[in-house]
Amino acid sequence: MKTGLGTFSKAQAAKTLLSLVPRISVENLVRASRFAEKLTRVERDKEVIRALRGLFEERHPAILMAKDVMERLSPNVRKKLIQNLFVNAFLIGTDKREIEMPEKEGFKPPMFLVISPTMRCNLRCPGCYAGEYEQHKGLSTEEVDSIIRQAKEMGTYFITMSGGEVFVRPDMFDIWREHDDVFFQLYTNGTLIDEKAAARLEECGNVAPMISLEGGRERTDERRGEGTFDRVMRAMDHLREAGVMFGTSFTETRHNMEEIAGDEILDLLVEKGALVAWYFQYIPIGREPHFELMPTPEQRDWLRRRLLQVRDEKAIFIGDFWNDGYYVEGCIAAGREYIHINANGDVEPCVFCHFSVDNIRDRSLKEVLNSDFMKTIRRQQPYRENYLTPCMLIDEPEVLRNAVAKCHAHPTHAGAETLITDLKGPIDDYARSYRAIADEVWDEEYREKNARRVKSARYA
């Protein structure tokens, strides 16, 4: 009876939240947040919702941006964003993942999955993290469908698709329509998004492309090919005009750091209507890896500080995959909050960690999440008290090396092992140098704040 009442309450909440969709206002966002807080049983999520409500009430630029962008979305996209992401993934899904599944199955499923249906791509960018996977292989439509169905049974309704280039697989439109209760985020080069594709995405309503850029026109075209930047700008125009939610993705290197975090490119994205800007640090993996492209420890800390400033000034949501470790309490890989299933079916702890022991074609999603490899990594999370150093690849590299050796994990493409063999010395030097910076920052800016957060959660 308790579960039934809970389900009924959430269904009523969904109905109430959806009723607010046509009338987006700050007041309604505050009202919606109070509904959400009452319904979730996970204290950590209540804390996040309260923090968001504080941003609503103070009219933070990012919240006003979210309001403006949602008003520009088509009615179908707005409806799916609220129903699939906020209700299914964050309300209903969170309770199932964090309360029901641990009681029933003995483990907590991840919040989202990353699936790469293909590694084929219409571009050949140097340094691509996925560039050394076998290009001819791919997951069948039926295999992708099965993975998503298994995920939903565990309460996971947020699926990210990467690659390769997702849009070389037109059958994925069938997947997105079939699973119209899931929210999909796509990482794409954007060059295949024309007016027709944008219209089809709007019809689905539950798909948000994140389009890759290297910076402005010159730097993007230098790496991705002449004319790519202009094609991406046209793709953004098509998506905005169709009312589709979209964002962008940057890979920060030693050479483009200031450009991709600069006012010029960010203001352009806001003007185009992008909702999100994701930042991913270059890791020496994939096609033609070069350690020298990694941002220096000093640059990494500069970006952390710069993006904190951007969040207070720019009307765009910022996700900083490495520097946001504080907000997610360390590493989220190995099934703690996500895993990556590549186009060959190999299950990897992280999209940047190209090692595996299991293949989704041989074992169920539940089984691969509970493999010794994944559990060995999860048991050590967080690897350090300082959440600004969350990564087992570049901050605590011995974690990955030991897990690979202990569990006999194999590289998922030729050359993947160089991260823990040939590059061992440079990675260790980098880790020591960055920890020295990050530990000082942690003591000065985060330690006391984190202690208050832990105490609040303990006595909630």
Side-chain angles (χ1 to χ4, degrees), residues 408-426:
H408 308 288
H410 62 83
T412 52
H413 61 75
E417 70 281 356
T418 60
L419 186 69
I420 63 174
T421 55
D422 298 2
L423 293 175
K424 182 177 185 295

Side-chain angles (χ1 to χ4, degrees), residues 98-331:
E98 301 205 6
I99 297 175
E100 296 173 24
M101 285 295 292
E103 292 175 356
K104 180 181 177 182
E105 301 287 348
F107 80 104
K108 182 180 79 68
M111 184 183 78
F112 68 102
L113 303 180
V114 180
I115 305 172
S116 293
T118 182
M119 290 301 171
R120 290 186 289 122
C121 185
N122 60 318
L123 302 181
R124 294 285 292 176
C125 306
C128 174
Y129 87 94
E132 288 305 310
Y133 287 107
E134 293 187 51
Q135 303 296 299
H136 70 280
K137 294 188 176 180
L139 297 169
S140 70
T141 311
E142 293 75 20
E143 287 169 336
V144 174
D145 176 74
S146 174
I147 293 167
I148 296 172
R149 290 185 187 280
Q150 293 179 65
K152 290 195 294 186
E153 289 176 1
M154 296 188 295
T156 300
Y157 288 86
F158 185 12
I159 303 292
T160 292
M161 286 191 173
S162 189
E165 172 52 52
V166 178
F167 285 102
V168 304
R169 289 283 301 269
D171 58 320
M172 289 301 104
F173 279 96
D174 298 327
I175 290 290
W176 303 330
R177 283 193 297 266
E178 175 67 23
H179 296 282
D180 65 352
D181 54 349
V182 170
F183 186 82
F184 292 93
Q185 176 182 248
L186 314 181
Y187 286 99
T188 171
N189 63 44
T191 60
L192 300 179
I193 301 177
D194 55 15
E195 192 171 357
K196 181 179 178 181
R200 295 183 70 188
L201 290 169
E202 191 283 327
E203 290 173 4
C204 292
N206 58 341
V207 185
M210 302 291 142
I211 305 176
S212 298
L213 286 172
E214 308 302 325
R217 177 179 287 103
E218 181 179 354
R219 199 176 293 275
T220 296
D221 287 359
E222 179 183 9
R223 180 170 183 240
R224 295 179 174 266
E226 186 176 353
T228 299
F229 182 84
D230 289 337
R231 293 168 73 184
V232 166
M233 293 299 105
R234 287 195 296 272
M236 290 184 177
D237 290 340
H238 294 319
L239 293 167
R240 184 186 67 248
E241 290 162 9
V244 175
M245 175 180 166
F246 70 93
T248 194
S249 170
F250 295 112
T251 297
E252 68 241 28
T253 72
R254 195 166 298 190
H255 306 303
N256 72 348
M257 181 77 76
E258 293 187 9
E259 183 172 343
I260 62 175
D263 290 334
E264 184 175 352
I265 189 69
L266 289 168
D267 290 343
L268 174 63
L269 290 172
V270 171
E271 179 185 334
K272 286 289 180 181
L275 178 66
V276 183
W278 284 104
Y279 289 80
F280 297 94
Q281 177 166 319
Y282 173 80
I283 302 294
I285 55 176
R287 182 179 294 129
E288 302 171 7
H290 294 288
F291 177 81
E292 295 76 16
L293 284 176
M294 279 185 68
T296 66
E298 292 78 12
Q299 285 179 312
R300 179 172 166 184
D301 186 62
W302 176 86
L303 185 69
R304 177 190 65 82
R305 290 180 282 109
R306 167 59 181 162
L307 293 183
L308 288 175
Q309 177 187 358
V310 168
R311 282 168 169 153
D312 284 337
E313 297 176 353
K314 304 287 185 186
I316 190 167
F317 174 84
I318 299 294
D320 187 353
F321 194 75
W322 266 265
N323 287 330
D324 281 350
Y326 170 75
Y327 302 105
V328 294
E329 300 180 355
C331 176

